[in-house]
């Protein structure tokens, strides 16, 4: 059984933990430390973790249909083989933007990989969303922001949720069956004293969860954008959650030490750890990318 209150399950002290994803084929949770240049794997059955060093900042990791992984390094999308810690570049959509890096990703029901970029200095409005499917990488057509987060998809894959972190807004965009973006509306706005909306995730009921960086919490919103629940954490920077474990009924949350001074770190000794809690809801099985 998993406690209802968030508790640390893996002490990694990540500078910027991000991108948790449950990989069913090895019954493990994978996530990254962007600034620490690390890929992490957590085996909940054994309670142990393993790490790999990345050659650049790494924004996300997702499983692929060949049994390996795709990862978002600063220089582009790479195939990753954990067996030999090998990286092979597949796409470099922002070779003309060397100040950008990748930040978050998700996989659609059709195997398409959606991911976002951002200005590493967190200043320029140069973050875009992209889609890769069966070898083709295209820019989504969504407007640029400074820090993208998400995207996340509704259970049927027809609604794309994407976050403008510095703007404190989560947007809802309709998708055609071929991935073409349609009408975009505001889904939720985060109030000034609640932190910044970070990575979004959608549960089996179609409700959206978002981490709050600097907000000490995660939130759950219904499909209409109404706040349903807030779960408080003992650390300030919660970046994203993913559902995993038996029945996909455990919520795992990545956190970050980034931006915390020595006083804050003394008060938050678990900052940067991987947390788990019982969310009272499950998720649908995840998808593997066809890239």
């Amino acid at each position: 059984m998993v406690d209802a209150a968030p508790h640390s399950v893996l002490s990694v002290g990540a500078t910027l933990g991000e991108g948790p994803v449950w990989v069913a084929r090895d019954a493990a949770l994978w996530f990254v430390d962007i600034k620490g240049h690390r890929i992490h794997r957590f085996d909940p059955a054994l309670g142990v973790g393993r790490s790999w060093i990345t050659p650049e900042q790494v924004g996300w990791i997702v499983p692929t249909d060949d049994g390996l992984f795709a990862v978002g390094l600063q220089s582009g999308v790479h195939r990753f083989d954990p067996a030999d810690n090998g990286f092979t570049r597949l796409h470099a959509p922002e070779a003309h933007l060397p100040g950008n890096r990748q930040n978050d990703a998700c996989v659609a029901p059709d195997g398409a990989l959606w991911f976002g970029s951002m200005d590493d200095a967190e200043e320029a409005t140069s973050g875009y969303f992209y889609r890769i499917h069966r070898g083709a990488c295209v820019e989504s057509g969504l407007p640029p922001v400074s820090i993208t987060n998400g995207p996340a998809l509704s259970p049927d894959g027809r609604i794309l949720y994407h976050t403008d972190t510095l703007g404190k807004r989560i947007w809802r965009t309709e998708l055609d069956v071929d991935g073409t973006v349609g009408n975009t509306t505001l889904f939720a706005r985060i109030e000034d004293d609640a932190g910044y909306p970070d990575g979004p995730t959608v549960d089996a009921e179609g409700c959206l969860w978002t981490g709050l960086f600097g907000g000490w919490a995660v939130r759950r919103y219904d499909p209409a954008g109404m706040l349903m629940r807030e779960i408080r954490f003992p650390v300030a920077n919660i970046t994203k959650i993913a559902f995993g474990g038996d029945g996909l009924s455990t919520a795992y949350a990545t956190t970050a030490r980034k931006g915390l001074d020595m006083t804050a770190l003394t008060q938050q000794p678990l900052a940067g750890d991987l947390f788990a809690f019982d969310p009272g809801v499950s998720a649908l099985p995840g998808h593997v990318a066809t890239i």
Side-chain angles (χ1 to χ4, degrees):
M1 297 293 291
V2 178
D3 293 339
H7 61 283
S8 173
V9 292
L10 185 66
S11 179
V12 291
T15 302
L16 186 53
E18 260 288 7
V21 59
W22 180 257
V23 179
R25 66 191 181 211
D26 62 357
L29 186 93
W30 294 72
F31 63 105
V32 304
D33 179 355
I34 297 175
K35 296 297 182 181
H37 293 206
R38 293 288 191 279
I39 293 170
H40 295 290
R41 177 187 185 276
F42 174 61
D43 181 340
L46 300 177
V48 297
R50 182 182 174 189
S51 300
W52 291 259
I53 298 173
T54 63
E56 306 164 10
Q57 293 187 95
V58 54
W60 49 264
I61 181 169
V62 299
T64 51
D65 60 358
D66 58 2
L68 300 177
F69 294 86
V71 298
L73 298 184
Q74 184 157 4
S75 61
V77 177
H78 289 64
R79 191 179 304 282
F80 168 59
D81 186 346
D84 62 3
N85 202 46
F87 297 86
T88 304
R89 191 165 68 184
L90 302 174
H91 300 278
E94 294 189 339
H96 61 297
L97 295 172
N100 269 18
R101 65 168 175 83
Q102 295 187 43
N103 197 50
D104 202 359
C106 72
V107 181
D110 65 356
L113 169 64
W114 290 83
F115 65 98
S117 66
M118 61 172 281
D119 174 27
D120 194 37
E122 303 181 10
E123 296 173 352
T125 305
S126 60
Y128 292 85
F129 288 100
Y130 297 86
R131 180 178 182 268
I132 299 176
H133 195 213
R134 301 189 184 280
C137 181
V138 297
E139 199 265 296
S140 68
L142 295 170
V145 296
S146 295
I147 301 178
T148 64
N149 258 296
L153 288 154
S154 60
D156 64 1
R158 299 301 300 274
I159 301 297
L160 185 78
Y161 298 99
H162 47 102
T163 299
D164 172 5
T165 293
L166 290 187
K168 294 193 171 188
R169 292 172 174 85
I170 303 171
W171 299 91
R172 178 188 186 275
T173 295
E174 297 172 2
L175 291 182
D176 289 338
V177 292
D178 64 355
T180 301
V181 300
N183 185 50
T184 295
T185 55
L186 182 65
F187 176 74
R189 186 192 308 268
I190 307 302
E191 60 271 27
D192 288 343
D193 60 350
Y196 293 86
D198 211 307
T201 304
V202 177
D203 63 32
E205 298 177 358
C207 297
L208 183 138
W209 296 72
T210 184
L212 293 174
F213 197 97
W216 299 82
V218 298
R219 285 183 173 181
R220 186 187 189 218
Y221 291 85
D222 72 13
M226 297 297 293
L227 179 61
M228 301 176 70
R229 187 181 181 192
E230 181 175 277
I231 298 173
R232 305 295 292 178
F233 277 67
V235 296
N237 301 329
I238 299 86
T239 54
K240 189 174 183 177
I241 75 163
F243 294 87
D246 293 340
L248 299 177
S249 58
T250 297
Y252 293 98
T254 47
T255 66
R257 297 165 64 90
K258 183 177 181 288
L260 302 179
D261 60 21
M262 290 305 299
T263 299
L265 288 172
T266 299
Q267 296 169 345
Q268 303 174 46
L270 302 179
D273 285 2
L274 177 69
F275 283 76
F277 64 94
D278 179 1
V281 67
S282 61
L284 296 176
H287 308 285
V288 296
T290 304
I291 61 172

